[in-house]
Amino acid sequence: MSKFGLITKGLLKENPTFVLVLGMCPTLATTTSAINGLEMGLATMFVLILSNIVISLIAPVVPDKVHIPVYIVVIATFVTLLQLLMQAYTPEVYETLGLFIPLIVVNCIVLGRAEAFACKNSVGDSALDGIGIGLGFTLSLTVIGIVREILGSGSVFGWKFIAGDGILAFVMAPGAFLVLGYLMVLFNKLAKR
Amino acid sequence: MEYLLIIVSAIFVNNIVLAQFLGVCPFMGVSSKLSTATGMSGAVCFVITLATVVTYLINKYFLVPLGLTYLQTIAFILVIAALVQMVEIVLKKISPSLYQALGIFLPLITTNCAVLGVAINVVTKEFTFGDAAHMLNLGEATVYALATSLGYGLAMVLFAGLREQLAMNDVPKSFRGLPIAFITVGIMAMAFLGFSGIV
């Protein structure tokens, strides 16, 4: 696959949210507004790129039997790094995303890419794969966030253009499932054409 | 009384899947048949309760006194992975039939974010049940973990029942599979919103 293909495949063909349906918990929980979705996507991308790089480096020397625990420790290390960085530089964002930052450890996308790609490809390709899948994830979360923010509070990225409260259910739990469901339908419809 | 509040709140009001979005992947993955959903709920219930108690103790008597709380994420995920492995080995010896029934679901629990989520929540968040907000003590944490996992089981079994019915219906092509499942969960979550405010 070309270098360019590695980056763009995450957007449509191997979109982690709509096609692979991985990492649903942060997708549903943090997309109450467009900006939250974007921040969660970027945070996941950070861990994804770094863990992909390190795992592609260490994969040849890790015994097969213990590879999953080793990968999880690598991922957990970068998540802890991210936690400390965010606490230091963006404490408000850390506060909003809350529990879902440490939960990047068990995000199936990160471990999934380690298993499916990083452990058998070169460092450069793995980094590009991390960027590509990370971009796809960020894009999906932002789109879901935009839809929920428009319906739920009548604004986009905090810019309010519909007066009033909006449909509160879309900011709460049911809206997350409904919006994701309908966006998947739309994605299927468009992808098949 | 407080324990009753914890139980009602964790099962219905703040249902772990339908209100907190934890453990959605396995919830979607194994809920297409009622029997597998029940098996998975049982295994998750056991692991969440055990993992919460163990991580609570480790946090209180090891990480906090040594000032190592920033290692929570790494320590907890390792404890959970080890615990799941141990449960697997013990179960294989003691009750091979149950081990067979749970089979593939056991190792999958390590990456179920509900387990890590509850463990982290219990040691970092303040809860309000009845009186003022406070950190949970060991008894409350255990009851909270047990009730939360029962809530997981409830949501999973209900949803598996719905999905078995869905499978027999003629669903439009673009909706087939996961999209219709997500929309159904959305409606279920709406029903569970009705419980909000009772605790």
Side-chain angles (χ1 to χ4, degrees):
Chain A
M1 198 184 282
S2 70
K3 304 278 179 215
F4 185 66
L6 278 175
I7 294 185
T8 51
K9 72 177 174 194
L11 298 179
L12 286 175
K13 215 170 75 207
E14 287 184 40
N15 187 294
T17 306
F18 297 115
V19 180
L20 306 177
V21 199
L22 291 174
M24 282 300 115
C25 303
T27 307
L28 292 163
T30 59
T31 51
T32 46
S33 68
I35 192 78
N36 286 353
L38 181 68
E39 286 160 357
M40 186 68 218
L42 292 178
T44 311
M45 191 160 133
F46 172 86
V47 175
L48 190 57
I49 296 172
L50 290 176
S51 71
N52 256 7
I53 291 175
V54 169
I55 286 167
S56 70
L57 282 172
I58 62 167
V61 292
V62 173
D64 208 36
K65 263 189 182 158
V66 292
H67 71 286
I68 296 271
V70 171
Y71 294 174
I72 289 183
V73 172
V74 170
I75 296 167
T77 310
F78 286 119
V79 170
T80 308
L81 190 70
L82 176 74
Q83 275 181 288
L84 295 174
L85 281 174
M86 286 181 78
Q87 276 167 351
Y89 294 105
T90 54
E92 312 86 37
V93 180
Y94 185 77
E95 200 62 34
T96 335
L97 299 180
L99 180 63
F100 288 90
I101 294 297
L103 285 186
I104 295 176
V105 178
V106 281
N107 188 325
C108 358
I109 296 176
V110 185
L111 192 62
R113 288 328 285 178
E115 271 287 272
F117 196 94
C119 66
K120 19 182 151 74
N121 283 285
S122 71
V123 182
D125 283 359
S126 303
L128 289 178
D129 178 76
I131 296 174
I133 298 289
L135 276 180
F137 189 62
T138 310
L139 186 77
S140 319
L141 258 64
T142 314
V143 168
I144 299 171
I146 289 174
V147 174
R148 284 180 70 187
E149 201 182 337
I150 292 177
L151 292 170
S153 19
S155 57
V156 177
F157 285 105
W159 176 67
K160 200 157 170 65
F161 62 96
I162 303 172
D165 280 343
I167 310 163
L168 195 60
F170 280 97
V171 183
M172 294 163 87
F177 290 109
L178 289 178
V179 169
L180 181 62
Y182 281 109
L183 282 177
M184 260 181 196
V185 173
L186 200 67
F187 197 90
N188 282 350
K189 192 98 188 160
L190 294 175
K192 272 191 193 102
R193 230 185 316 165
Chain B
M1 187 59 201
E2 204 199 322
Y3 285 102
L4 191 69
L5 283 180
I6 294 179
I7 293 170
V8 173
S9 156
I11 296 182
F12 297 108
V13 184
N14 293 312
N15 187 284
I16 186 160
V17 188
L18 301 172
Q20 298 185 52
F21 307 110
L22 291 174
V24 176
C25 292
F27 179 75
M28 284 292 170
V30 297
S31 57
S32 44
K33 264 174 64 198
L34 200 55
S35 54
T36 52
T38 325
M40 182 69 172
S41 310
V44 167
C45 198
F46 186 64
V47 174
I48 287 187
T49 315
L50 197 62
T52 308
V53 173
V54 173
T55 51
Y56 183 93
L57 294 173
I58 287 182
N59 188 64
K60 188 165 181 189
Y61 295 108
F62 188 69
L63 295 180
V64 173
L66 293 178
L68 292 174
T69 40
Y70 64 90
L71 285 180
Q72 256 167 12
T73 313
I74 298 184
F76 284 17
I77 190 70
L78 285 178
V79 167
I80 291 168
L83 217 58
V84 170
Q85 196 80 284
M86 214 177 68
V87 168
E88 218 180 317
I89 295 169
V90 170
L91 215 58
K92 209 172 176 177
K93 273 267 181 280
I94 296 179
S95 164
S97 57
L98 186 62
Y99 176 79
Q100 281 290 323
L102 295 178
I104 47 162
F105 301 126
L106 269 174
L108 283 179
I109 296 174
T110 311
T111 52
N112 185 336
C113 58
V115 184
L116 186 60
V118 172
I120 294 180
N121 253 346
V122 160
V123 297
T124 53
K125 229 171 78 179
E126 291 198 321
F127 288 82
T128 316
F129 295 114
D131 48 359
H134 62 288
M135 302 299 283
L136 298 181
N137 62 31
L138 184 59
E140 289 165 339
T142 315
V143 173
Y144 174 78
L146 187 65
T148 305
S149 49
L150 285 178
Y152 191 74
L154 175 74
M156 185 108 112
V157 170
L158 282 178
F159 183 53
L162 286 174
R163 251 182 125 171
E164 282 192 347
Q165 297 293 315
L166 265 182
M168 285 183 277
N169 281 302
D170 186 22
V171 178
K173 210 168 154 209
S174 307
F175 280 81
R176 255 171 232 169
L178 282 173
I180 189 78
F182 273 110
I183 293 166
T184 313
V185 184
I187 296 167
M188 252 175 90
M190 228 179 262
F192 269 70
L193 265 190
F195 290 113
S196 63
I198 59 170
V199 171

